[in-house]
Amino acid sequence: MPAEGAPGERADGGRAHGRRADGAGAAGENGWTAEGDVVARVLGQWRQVLPDLDTEPIGVIGRLTRCAALLRQSSDAPLAREGFSRPEFDILSALRREDRDLTPGRLARETYASGTAVTKRVRTLEERGLVERRPDARDRRVAHLSLTERGRELVDRILPEQVAFERSLLAGLGEEERDGLARTLGELLRLLESREEAGSRR
């Protein structure tokens, strides 16, 4: 399945050249160009179609969306080789790092997933013998989830491999670039989280 791109990207995905239709590099106001960046091509197309539209947000959100899609599709990742999706491994990781029983609701908050999605993933992990549940002693409608010994061993084995794989994906960036990117993404994440929290209080 093709990776998702920026708004307005053609379904054929075409090759990304990062150039405008007139042959000039796709550049922002600071002169930055992105050769081979599919989002730069999309921005160039929008400039041709709607020249008065400020498409700056697409430069950020479109690239985040594209990167996330490509990372999800990394078939050579240790998780994929082991037959796990990232959301499933997020469940296992949350249980491992918390190192205690968690309710499905708490897992949903820890993994930024809906309750329905968590229920489905937990059921799959239970069937694989990696997660077990026990009913609450006072309210049997409440379940407490934990890793089995097999689940704990699996996380401890796969996580170092996955981290090494992700480090290799960032190898083309220098240390300062990685640190700066992490800080910028952290600031964006805090903004989005505060927006979500404000919305939930309404």
Side-chain angles (χ1 to χ4, degrees):
M1 184 175 70
E4 297 173 4
E9 181 182 347
R10 292 197 306 268
D12 61 18
R15 248 184 111 176
H17 296 293
R19 292 184 177 274
R20 294 175 55 176
D22 59 8
E29 292 182 357
N30 61 0
W32 178 84
T33 62
E35 297 298 333
D37 182 336
V38 67
V39 178
R41 176 174 62 82
V42 170
L43 291 171
Q45 291 171 336
W46 280 124
R47 278 194 294 271
Q48 295 291 320
V49 177
L50 297 173
D52 296 329
L53 178 66
D54 180 5
T55 57
E56 181 184 10
I58 296 177
V60 177
I61 303 301
R63 287 185 172 97
L64 286 173
T65 302
R66 180 76 172 176
C67 287
L70 291 172
L71 289 171
R72 285 197 301 269
Q73 294 172 21
S74 298
S75 59
D76 54 340
L79 296 184
R81 292 200 305 267
E82 295 282 347
F84 290 100
S85 67
R86 184 59 183 253
E88 288 170 345
F89 195 72
D90 285 345
I91 296 285
L92 299 175
S93 297
L95 289 170
R96 182 67 179 101
R97 66 174 183 265
E98 289 282 346
D99 203 24
R100 60 188 177 91
D101 291 0
L102 297 178
T103 63
R106 178 61 186 269
L107 271 177
R109 291 191 295 274
E110 286 289 327
T111 59
Y112 304 99
S114 68
T116 301
V118 166
T119 297
K120 181 179 179 180
R121 291 162 191 161
V122 166
R123 186 180 302 117
T124 298
L125 296 171
E126 282 185 284
E127 292 171 354
R128 298 183 66 166
L130 303 173
V131 171
E132 59 187 1
R133 72 173 66 217
R134 63 176 180 81
D136 187 89
R138 290 175 294 184
D139 186 349
R140 298 187 69 82
R141 294 172 299 178
V142 177
H144 297 274
L145 304 168
S146 62
L147 290 177
T148 62
E149 187 60 32
R150 180 181 173 189
R152 180 185 295 263
E153 291 174 355
L154 182 138
V155 173
D156 290 356
R157 175 173 61 82
I158 294 181
L159 187 58
E161 297 177 26
Q162 182 65 23
V163 170
F165 170 77
E166 293 176 2
R167 181 176 292 111
S168 73
L169 296 178
L170 300 174
L173 299 176
E175 182 177 356
E176 290 186 5
E177 291 175 305
R178 294 195 301 272
D179 289 345
L181 180 59
R183 286 194 299 271
T184 300
L185 289 174
E187 292 170 5
L188 176 60
L189 180 58
R190 285 192 293 274
L191 286 172
L192 295 176
E193 286 178 336
S194 62
R195 182 175 182 272
E196 182 181 26
E197 291 171 2
S200 65
R201 290 195 295 267
R202 290 175 184 170

